[in-house]
């Protein structure tokens, strides 16, 4: 177990800089998820922590030791790869014991440790099989087993679940979480799937184009995105985004979207002058319909026209148009059966509204 | 049903010409050669239109292995074993080594790869001629040390008559038993890690028993020859071995390099994170993973080693007793001495040696397919 610190870490390939001065402090036994679109540099950061990529600038510190010049094998980190990277010619047992064998551990100790890890991952019946004789989920387990037998300081996961089908992914996600609760090993987990990020992370790090956009707990990045990119990237369906102008109408502070007015909750937008353009963000689940409307103040109600409705079992997704102009996605509880073209009452949790600066796209306040 | 049988008939008819041609010109002639090797066709009347052929059983083979005049063939056979083993070890080892070096992605890898692969495009006659010059007593290799200010070598690369590792052909059976024991024990030791119980029971104990038996009771075994006759590793063959290794290590390099390039970078990264050094990666991951390539290389090289006729012909000529090969011997016996029956017997011995390499390979291939 160890803390990990990245200080102004750069990565350049020739003239191309792909990671631009990343600063990140990861606490002991923390589960950190690096998330971002393809090419954002998340895997590069992970590989730099592993030592598989040379650091072009800055420092990486693991457990108080600068590891810039330390080779991967001496960093005491274990990594699980997207395609599992199991050794095809070795049995499950040999795969899991390989790192111990390389560390010259006695054969009996290796057998005991492999047995223990296999027990945790329920791999005992498969120990003598080759990876090619296993299903995707089982291979995934072996890859994890290979990582946990060593009791490393840090676990590194590089999109470990993306080769699994949806159901298995959910299951493995929960198992990963349980494993972390049990082992309490510092973990850095890379994914492009924001659901994995939300469900697994103690803290999420959102990366874009080699820059950190935001570091925060899942709720923080969901409710208080640092910029429009994070607002759109985290959450599915993504946040509804509109252009507006701050105004005071009848003594009430609000954001005007043409004719439509989104009232600002108390204290919000106090520092913003009337007439200032802003970007407004509203989560789909901050939109209420049906009996949930009653919990909202009357003044936050209005009507909308339904364009499309999808029932997803326990909740529904609706595409609606407010004031004939503003199209938005609403994610509402219960099964809302509305036909296209129907006019239905709708309410907004305006206290959850976020404002961004149109120029910098950063969050205001 | 009728449709299916018609398809079968069509398929059979399509294959029929090649079945007939291969049947006659390959298997028919192998059969004819086997038959010839069991006759006494040869001598003064051999070239007559209706030569005299009498069935004499295995007499030709007995003559080759135990006869007074078979000494040359026996040395050729010993040479063939050394040619094969040395070519395999040399070309696989050197090829693998170069492939590992090139796998480090040095600058100019493409050029180097072409350079190393180039010798294979030469025919054995060409490379044999070049190497004959290089290995001439006063040329090429021997004068190299002069450029470093040292005395030139005076080793007779192609005409040395010295031999090492000599053994008495009389003790052939004992030696074969030693070899068998050695192979059994080697297999046993190799399997010891995987399944120690079976390794000891099936391989180690029998191996030691055979070895000890051969040592203790070797004197009781029949002697293969009535007189003492020593054979060994003729130093004159070293030059020829060097030439073949030079010619074919580039080929194995290409095989291994393709294999190494096919191993995903993730696997290499995983091995590094698992604590494997560069050497450890090749030893435990890359080379074991390329076992199918090693097997192919061994099969291909081993049958090339049985066809070294032209290289030896070009380097030392057909009559050098020190560097002979059964294939050359077969040619000389058949077409110069007109001793067709004996030549056929040599050909069949070579055929069986080749089968020893190919059959296990085919069996393993069939088994793999069956498993799928």
């Amino acid at each position: 177990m160890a803390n990990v610190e990245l200080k102004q870490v750069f990565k350049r390939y020739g003239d191309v800089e792909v990671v631009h001065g990343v600063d990140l402090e990861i606490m002991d036994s923390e589960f950190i998820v690096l998330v971002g679109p393809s090419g954002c540099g998340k895997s590069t950061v992970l590989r730099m922590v592993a030592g598989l990529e040379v650091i072009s600038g800055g420092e990486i510190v693991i457990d108080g030791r600068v590891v810039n010049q330390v080779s991967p094998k001496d960093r005491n980190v274990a990594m699980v790869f997207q395609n599992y990277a199991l050794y095809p010619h070795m049995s499950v047992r040999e795969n899991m014991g390989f790192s111990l064998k390389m560390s010259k551990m006695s054969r009996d100790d290796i057998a005991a440790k492999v047995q223990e890890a296999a027990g945790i991952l329920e791999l005992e019946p498969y120990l003598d099989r080759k990876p090619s004789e296993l299903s995707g989920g089982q291979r995934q387990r072996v890859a994890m087993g290979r990582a946990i037998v060593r009791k490393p300081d840090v676990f590194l996961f590089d999109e470990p679940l993306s080769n699994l089908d949806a159901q298995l992914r959910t299951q493995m996600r929960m198992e990963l979480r349980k494993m972390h609760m049990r082992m309490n090993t510092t973990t850095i987990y890379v994914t492009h799937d924001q659901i994995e990020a939300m469900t697994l992370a103690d803290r999420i790090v959102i990366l874009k184009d080699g820059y950190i956009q935001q570091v925060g707990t899942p709720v923080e990045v969901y409710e208080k995105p640092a910029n429009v990119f994070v607002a759109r990237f985290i959450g599915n369906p993504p946040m509804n985004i509109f252009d507006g102008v701050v105004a005071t109408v009848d003594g009430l502070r609000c954001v005007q979207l043409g004719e439509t007015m989104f009232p600002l909750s108390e204290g919000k937008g106090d520092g913003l002058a009337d007439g200032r353009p802003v970007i407004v963000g509203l989560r789909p689940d901050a939109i209420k319909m049906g009996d949930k409307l009653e919990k909202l103040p009357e003044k936050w109600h209005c009507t909308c026209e339904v364009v499309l409705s999808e029932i997803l079992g326990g909740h529904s997704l609706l595409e609606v148009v407010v004031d004939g102009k503003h199209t938005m996605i609403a994610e509402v509880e219960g099964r809302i059966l509305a036909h296209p073209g129907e006019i239905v009452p709708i309410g907004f949790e305006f206290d959850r509204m976020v404002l961004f600066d149109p120029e910098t796209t950063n969050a205001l306040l | 049903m009728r449709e299916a049988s018609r398809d079968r008939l069509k398929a059979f008819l399509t294959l029929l010409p090649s079945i007939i041609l291969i049947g006659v010109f390959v298997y028919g002639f192998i059969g004819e050669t086997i038959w010839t090797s069991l006759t006494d066709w040869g001598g003064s009347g051999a070239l007559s239109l209706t030569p005299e052929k009498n069935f004499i059983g295995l007499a030709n083979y007995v003559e080759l292995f135990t006869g007074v005049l078979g000494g040359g063939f026996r040395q050729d056979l010993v040479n063939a074993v050394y040619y094969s083993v040395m070519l395999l070890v040399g070309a696989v080892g050197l090829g693998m080594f170069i492939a590992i070096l090139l796998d480090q992605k040095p600058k100019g890898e493409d050029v180097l790869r072409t350079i190393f692969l180039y010798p294979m495009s030469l025919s054995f006659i060409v490379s044999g001629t070049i190497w004959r010059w290089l290995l001439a007593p006063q040329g090429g290799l021997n004068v190299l040390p002069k450029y470093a200010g040292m005395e030139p070598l005076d080793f007779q690369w192609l005409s040395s008559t010295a031999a090492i590792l000599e053994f008495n052909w009389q003790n052939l059976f004992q030696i074969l038993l030693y070899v068998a024991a050695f192979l059994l024990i080697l297999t046993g030791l190799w399997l010891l890690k995987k399944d120690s119980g079976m390794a000891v029971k099936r391989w180690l104990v029998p191996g030691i028993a055979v070895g000890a038996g051969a040592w203790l009771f070797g004197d009781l075994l029949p002697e293969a020859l009535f007189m003492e006759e020593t054979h060994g590793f003729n130093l004159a063959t070293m030059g020829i071995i060097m030439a073949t290794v030079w010619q074919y290590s580039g080929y194995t390099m290409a095989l291994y390099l393709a294999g190494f390039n096919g191993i995903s970078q993730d696997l290499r990264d995983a091995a590094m994170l698992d604590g494997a050094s560069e050497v450890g990666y090749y030893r435990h991951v890359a080379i074991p993973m390329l076992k199918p390539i090693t097997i192919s290389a061994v099969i291909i090289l081993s049958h090339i080693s049985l066809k070294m006729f032209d290289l030896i012909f070009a380097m030392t000529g057909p009559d050098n007793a020190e560097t002979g090969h059964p294939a050359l011997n077969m040619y000389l016996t058949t077409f110069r001495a007109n001793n067709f029956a004996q030549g056929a017997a040599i050909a069949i011995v070579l055929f069986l040696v080749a089968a020893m390499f190919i059959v296990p390979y085919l069996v393993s291939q069939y088994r793999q397919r069956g498993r799928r």
Side-chain angles (χ1 to χ4, degrees), chain A residues 47 50 52 72-73 77-79 81-83 85-90 95 98-102 107 146 150, chain B residues 192-194 264-278 280-281 283-286 288-289:
Chain A
R47 291 172 62 82
L52 299 171
K73 65 186 168 86
V77 297
M79 186 154 165
F81 294 83
Q82 178 175 0
N83 61 11
L86 299 177
Y87 309 118
H89 60 292
M90 297 185 197
N95 260 288
F98 184 65
S99 60
L100 305 177
K101 185 174 155 191
M102 288 296 102
R107 212 175 289 169
R146 197 169 63 176
R150 296 169 46 188
Chain B
L192 203 57
K193 274 187 194 166
K194 280 189 184 159
S264 87
Q265 181 64 33
D266 279 353
L267 220 52
R268 198 180 185 133
D269 291 345
M272 280 181 82
L273 282 166
D274 272 346
S277 58
E278 200 70 16
Y281 162 71
R283 196 179 139 208
H284 298 289
V285 179
M289 265 178 80

Side-chain angles (χ1 to χ4, degrees), chain A residues 76-140:
Chain A
N76 200 20
V77 297
M79 186 154 165
V80 175
F81 294 83
Q82 178 175 0
N83 61 11
Y84 319 134
L86 299 177
Y87 309 118
H89 60 292
M90 297 185 197
S91 65
V92 169
R93 192 189 301 280
E94 288 164 327
N95 260 288
M96 287 169 71
F98 184 65
S99 60
L100 305 177
K101 185 174 155 191
M102 288 296 102
S103 65
K104 307 245 151 55
M105 192 180 273
S106 81
R107 212 175 289 169
D108 294 339
D109 289 349
I110 294 177
K113 291 201 175 226
V114 168
Q115 200 65 41
E116 187 196 339
I120 294 172
L121 294 162
E122 291 164 25
L123 278 171
E124 279 136 327
Y126 312 111
L127 278 175
D128 291 314
R129 290 204 197 167
K130 293 269 168 69
S132 58
E133 297 161 337
L134 299 177
S135 70
Q138 288 161 349
R139 284 180 211 181
Q140 171 65 54

Side-chain angles (χ1 to χ4, degrees), chain A residues 178-354:
Chain A
K178 282 187 205 151
M179 201 176 85
H180 180 252
M181 290 196 293
R182 176 176 180 154
M183 315 215 11
N184 259 321
T185 307
T186 313
T187 302
I188 308 178
Y189 186 105
V190 161
T191 180
H192 63 267
D193 178 357
Q194 44 98 13
I195 296 180
E196 273 172 37
M198 295 292 285
T199 48
L200 286 170
D202 290 326
R203 281 192 303 157
I204 297 179
V205 178
I206 297 138
L207 282 154
K208 185 195 164 203
D209 300 337
Y211 292 99
I212 288 187
Q213 304 293 311
Q214 188 173 6
V215 181
T217 64
V219 175
E220 267 169 23
V221 297
Y222 190 73
E223 291 295 340
K224 294 190 172 23
N227 54 37
V228 174
F229 172 78
V230 175
R232 280 190 210 265
F233 190 78
I234 297 289
N236 185 27
M239 193 178 253
N240 297 300
I241 303 281
F242 313 98
D243 291 317
V245 176
V246 178
T248 311
V249 179
D250 301 337
L252 270 177
R253 299 275 293 161
C254 65
V255 179
Q256 264 187 315
L257 293 76
E259 324 269 274
T260 316
M261 278 187 291
F262 283 2
L264 285 165
S265 57
E266 207 131 311
K268 205 172 235 176
D270 278 356
L272 301 174
D274 283 358
R276 188 194 202 288
V278 288
I279 293 173
V280 179
L282 201 56
R283 285 280 170 208
D285 60 335
I287 301 174
K288 303 288 171 190
M289 290 170 103
D291 50 0
K292 301 285 185 238
L293 269 177
E294 294 156 19
K295 288 183 186 159
L296 291 174
E298 200 77 25
K299 57 178 180 181
W300 290 357
H301 291 192
C302 69
T303 57
C304 67
E305 185 190 340
V306 175
V307 178
L308 197 71
S309 75
E310 292 177 311
I311 294 176
L312 304 171
H315 64 283
S316 317
L317 288 182
L318 289 98
E319 190 180 329
V320 297
V321 179
V322 174
D323 284 350
K325 262 188 237 153
H326 311 295
T327 305
M328 55 185 86
I329 306 284
E331 186 181 6
V332 294
E333 279 175 56
R335 295 178 200 113
I336 305 285
L337 266 176
H339 299 289
E342 212 173 307
I343 307 290
V344 293
I346 190 173
F348 302 95
E349 290 179 331
F350 282 121
D351 47 345
R352 286 178 61 195
M353 187 168 75
V354 243

